[in-house]
């Protein structure tokens, strides 16, 4: 037998979690799969990760397994490494009073039934016994999956008052699974919508990123708008919410795999440049996101009238890394009947005629050339270089000699 054959097969996330459950049980503790993975299994989706909930205390979990890391010991959460997998193992708990609109002030360790009650929505509140192959459902999650409903566990008003992030989570799950939000849960969401402003901007951005990169982004934004959460997400969001008809239509015509930046640029399109900058800052977007959204916004209409676009203008746009996203937005505007498709067809025809190496060729004329001609760097210098490059892209400047002649005629 070769060395490769003797290696144990890599554990799947499910097998790793199963091994942990078995070991916890062998030591006399209760242990179950919990939360999202149970929901996903019941819906025939492949779970992204398998979380384990147990009656064992964090110290007991740590002492039972070789490779562990306490991440939220205060909340009873221990990460257990099993093979190449990392499994979150959380002690059954009840949350104590919430003070900051997001986190409980502490937790008390309890049993599975109580642990189910502190979870957000019924579809997320179930357990699964992988040894008996049995769903353990204390909150009616199975029925709600069958009815395709997102329902808060317990008293909805109280649940959204405790943790305002649940407002965004409700929308995320409703849009992802195309479920309805239960009327009482919806009423509570509308009532608590303004409290979203108390959630940290990073966390709001993270949730927006999740829903805006999902194929059902338009449905998610529609729900955010209708429950009043969108308008309160950051300072300029009220205007975004007002312009919502166009936004939603345009979002619904983006390709399923559109980037966060593309979708965000669509969402922010009715804002001016300053408000775009401030929105990206408010949401703590990365520099990359901010730069891309700014560029997409500044050039939103650039492709609408091909007659106004010289060959050089088009090449300069094409040279930007976000150009394909600009085309995507343009196509969504055509599909949502904001502009005619003739312009875009003409642009595509022209793009097809441009050889890749001609999009951003090295400049014929450089600063070095100008200096060797005896010119001093300065504003005129820069203007000459820009002009020479523009003419080069337009195909009207063909050689360094022509470029030098142009420089001599332009330099003071
Ligand atoms: P996803 O597939 O998007 O990861 P998930 O249901 O696994 O969905 P997580 O954020 O990974 O969601 O959380 C795991 C579980 O923890 C949830 O299924 C839910 O039971 C519970 N949970 C997470 N966040 C909250 C919250 N804010 N309030 C109450 N329970 C929560
Ligand atoms: Mg999860």
């Amino acid at each position: 037998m070769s060395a490769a054959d003797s290696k144990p097969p890599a554990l799947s996330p499910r097998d790793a979690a199963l091994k942990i459950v078995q070991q916890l049980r062998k030591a006399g503790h209760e242990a179950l799969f919990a939360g999202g993975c149970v929901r996903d299994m019941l819906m025939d989706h492949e779970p992204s990760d398998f979380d384990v909930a147990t009656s064992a205390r964090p110290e007991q979990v740590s002492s039972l397994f070789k490779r562990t890391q306490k991440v939220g010991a205060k909340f009873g959460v221990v990460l257990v490494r099993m093979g190449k997998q990392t499994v979150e193992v959380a002690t059954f708990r009840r949350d104590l009073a919430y003070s900051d609109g997001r986190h409980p002030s502490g937790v008390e360790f309890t049993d599975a039934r109580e642990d189910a009650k502190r979870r957000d929505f019924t579809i997320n509140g179930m357990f699964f016994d992988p040894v008996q192959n049995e769903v353990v459902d204390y909150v009616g999650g199975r029925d709600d999956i069958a009815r395709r409903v997102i329902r808060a566990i317990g008293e909805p008003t109280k649940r959204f008052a405790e943790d305002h992030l649940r407002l965004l989570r409700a929308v995320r799950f409703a849009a992802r699974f195309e479920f309805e939000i239960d009327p009482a849960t919806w009423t509570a969401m509308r009532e608590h919508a303004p409290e979203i402003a108390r959630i940290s901007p990073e966390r709001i951005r993270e949730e927006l990123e999740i829903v805006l990169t999902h194929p059902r982004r338009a449905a998610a934004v529609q729900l955010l708008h209708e429950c009043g959460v969108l308008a309160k997400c950051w300072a300029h969001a009220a205007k975004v919410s007002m312009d919502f008809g166009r936004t939603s239509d345009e979002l619904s015509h983006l390709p399923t795999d559109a980037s966060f930046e593309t979708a965000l640029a669509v969402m922010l399109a009715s804002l001016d440049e300053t408000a775009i900058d401030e929105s990206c800052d408010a949401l703590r977007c990365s520099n990359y996101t901010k730069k891309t959204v700014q560029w997409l916004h500044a050039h939103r209409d650039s492709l609408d009238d091909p007659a106004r676009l010289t060959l050089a203008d088009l090449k300069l746009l094409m040279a930007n890394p976000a150009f394909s996203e600009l085309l995507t937005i343009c196509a969504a505007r055509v599909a949502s009947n904001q502009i005619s498709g003739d312009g875009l067809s003409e642009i595509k025809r022209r793009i097809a005629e441009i050889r890749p190496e001609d999009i951003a060729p090295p400049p014929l004329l450089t600063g070095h050339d100008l200096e060797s001609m005896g010119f001093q760097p300065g504003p005129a210098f820069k203007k000459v270089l820009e002009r020479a490059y523009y003419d080069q892209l337009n195909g009207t400047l063909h050689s360094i000699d022509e470029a030098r002649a142009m420089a001599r005629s332009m330099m003071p």
Side-chain angles (χ1 to χ4, degrees), residues 143-214:
D143 287 351
D144 283 341
I145 286 182
R147 290 195 203 105
R148 305 176 67 80
V149 166
I150 303 295
R151 184 197 311 274
I153 294 174
E155 172 57 50
T157 315
K158 198 174 139 231
R159 304 310 309 284
F160 291 109
E162 283 172 356
D163 177 356
H164 316 315
L165 185 70
R166 291 175 188 149
L167 293 162
L168 296 175
R169 287 177 59 87
V171 167
R172 183 207 315 174
F173 294 116
R176 190 202 291 174
F177 301 128
E178 293 186 278
F179 279 19
E180 293 290 319
I181 298 179
D182 169 71
T185 299
W186 182 251
T187 305
M189 286 171 68
R190 292 185 54 117
E191 191 184 321
H192 288 280
E195 288 158 28
I196 197 64
R198 289 185 61 199
I199 295 294
S200 77
E202 288 84 355
R203 206 62 192 79
I204 292 180
R205 205 258 342 286
E206 274 172 32
E207 283 291 329
L208 279 182
E209 201 160 338
I210 295 173
V211 296
L212 286 180
T213 50
H214 192 275

Side-chain angles (χ1 to χ4, degrees), residues 17 21 31-41 47 49-54 87-90 92 112 115-116 118-119 123-130 136:
V21 164
L32 298 160
F33 291 174
C37 66
V38 183
R39 172 200 69 215
D40 290 345
M41 286 179 334
D49 40 30
F50 286 80
D51 296 338
V52 170
T54 179
V87 178
E88 203 177 290
V89 180
F92 295 137
D115 186 79
R118 60 122 189 133
R119 294 173 185 270
I123 63 164
N124 293 346
M126 291 175 282
F127 302 102
F128 181 76
D129 179 337
V136 181

